[in-house]
């Protein structure tokens, strides 16, 4: 028994080191797979678009109006002018300003590459704002309805909800939980039915 106990004692650290190496390899494999599915450079797009604010919301709304007018006069060049001379530069300027403000709050010894990577990663939730702007604000601008500008109230609503979410407001968290739990199957069934009808 005394002879076997040292062997067991010597085997345990070796096995634990093997387990740790396996865990590290599995972790690296998962990270590599995530990078292949969602490359890190993709985060630069939501960082450029940014989260909804009064300026970006109005730009999204008028983008729909510009697209309709360009389609009416059949001018692709006018749409490119709006995109390259107005939409992209304004969003880029807003992104630079937000990055400079974010960088001022970091310690001075923080490397620029680390600060840029952390800022870009924090803007990943702007994908939601991008889809809200494309699917609601741009469409509202394209409709040309007299009451279409009421959709601009969606911007302060989203900003307020995001502020409450970051403040960890408990009622909002409960509402989001039950909406996700109840509405997901309620919306999934009609969507699957529509998909089956279109593919039939």
């Amino acid at each position: 028994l005394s002879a076997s106990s040292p062997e067991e004692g010597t085997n345990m650290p070796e096995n634990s080191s093997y387990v740790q190496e396996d865990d590290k390899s599995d972790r690296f494999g998962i990270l590599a797979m995530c990078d292949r599915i969602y490359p890190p450079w993709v985060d630069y797009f939501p960082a450029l678009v940014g989260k909804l604010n009064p300026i970006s919301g109005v730009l999204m709304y008028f983008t729909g109006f510009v697209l309709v007018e360009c389609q009416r006069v059949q001018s692709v060049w006018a749409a490119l002018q709006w995109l390259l001379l107005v939409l992209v530069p304004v969003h880029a300027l807003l992104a630079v300003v937000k990055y400079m403000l974010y960088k001022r709050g970091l310690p001075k010894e923080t490397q620029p590459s680390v600060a840029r990577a952390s800022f870009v990663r924090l803007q990943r939730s702007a994908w939601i704002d991008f889809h809200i702007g494309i699917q609601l604000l741009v469409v509202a601008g394209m409709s040309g309805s007299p009451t279409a500008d009421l959709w601009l109230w969606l911007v302060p609503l989203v900003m307020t909800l995001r502020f409450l979410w970051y403040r960890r407001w408990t009622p909002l968290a409960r509402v989001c939980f039950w909406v996700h739990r109840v509405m997901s199957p309620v919306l999934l069934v009609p969507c699957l039915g529509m998909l089956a009808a279109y593919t039939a």
Side-chain angles (χ1 to χ4, degrees):
L1 293 175
S2 61
S4 62
S5 57
E7 293 180 357
E8 292 178 357
T10 54
N11 289 333
M12 288 298 292
E14 294 179 358
N15 295 333
S16 62
S17 62
Y18 291 152
V19 172
Q20 291 178 358
E21 292 178 358
D22 292 340
D23 291 341
K24 290 182 180 179
S25 61
D26 293 340
R27 191 179 299 112
F28 288 145
I30 293 173
L31 292 176
M33 183 182 299
C34 293
D35 289 340
R36 288 195 297 267
I37 296 175
Y38 187 90
W41 59 265
V42 179
D43 285 333
Y44 282 94
F45 180 77
L48 174 64
V49 175
K51 299 170 184 176
L52 273 179
N53 56 72
I55 298 176
S56 62
V58 172
L59 285 176
M60 287 280 190
Y61 178 79
F62 277 101
T63 298
F65 177 77
V66 170
L67 291 178
V68 170
E69 292 298 319
C70 293
Q71 184 180 11
R72 184 177 62 85
V73 299
Q74 297 182 356
S75 176
V76 180
W77 178 242
L80 289 177
Q81 284 181 328
W82 171 261
L83 177 66
L84 298 177
L85 299 179
V86 178
L87 197 62
V88 173
V90 172
H91 278 90
L93 179 61
L94 292 175
V96 170
V97 171
K98 287 188 293 185
Y99 172 69
M100 297 303 295
L101 294 176
Y102 173 79
K103 192 175 179 181
R104 289 177 60 182
L106 296 177
K108 294 182 179 180
E109 60 272 11
T110 305
Q111 298 181 358
S113 59
V114 176
R116 184 172 60 252
S118 61
F119 172 77
V120 169
R121 186 175 180 83
L122 284 175
Q123 305 303 314
R124 186 175 291 182
S125 62
W127 280 113
I128 301 175
D129 302 68
F130 171 73
H131 288 290
I132 291 176
I134 290 295
Q135 299 180 16
L136 296 178
L137 295 178
V138 174
V139 175
M142 295 175 66
S143 65
S145 173
T147 60
D149 54 352
L150 294 177
W151 282 98
L152 290 174
W153 287 102
L154 187 67
V155 176
L157 177 61
V158 172
M159 294 175 64
T160 303
L161 291 177
R162 174 172 282 116
F163 174 78
L164 295 176
W165 180 263
Y166 284 136
R167 289 291 180 179
R168 299 184 183 276
W169 194 44
T170 306
L172 179 62
R174 292 176 180 175
V175 169
C176 292
F177 171 77
W178 285 108
V179 166
H180 172 73
R181 189 165 186 173
V182 176
M183 294 301 295
S184 296
V186 171
L187 295 177
L188 181 62
V189 174
C191 290
L192 290 177
M194 293 174 62
L195 180 63
Y198 278 118
T199 57

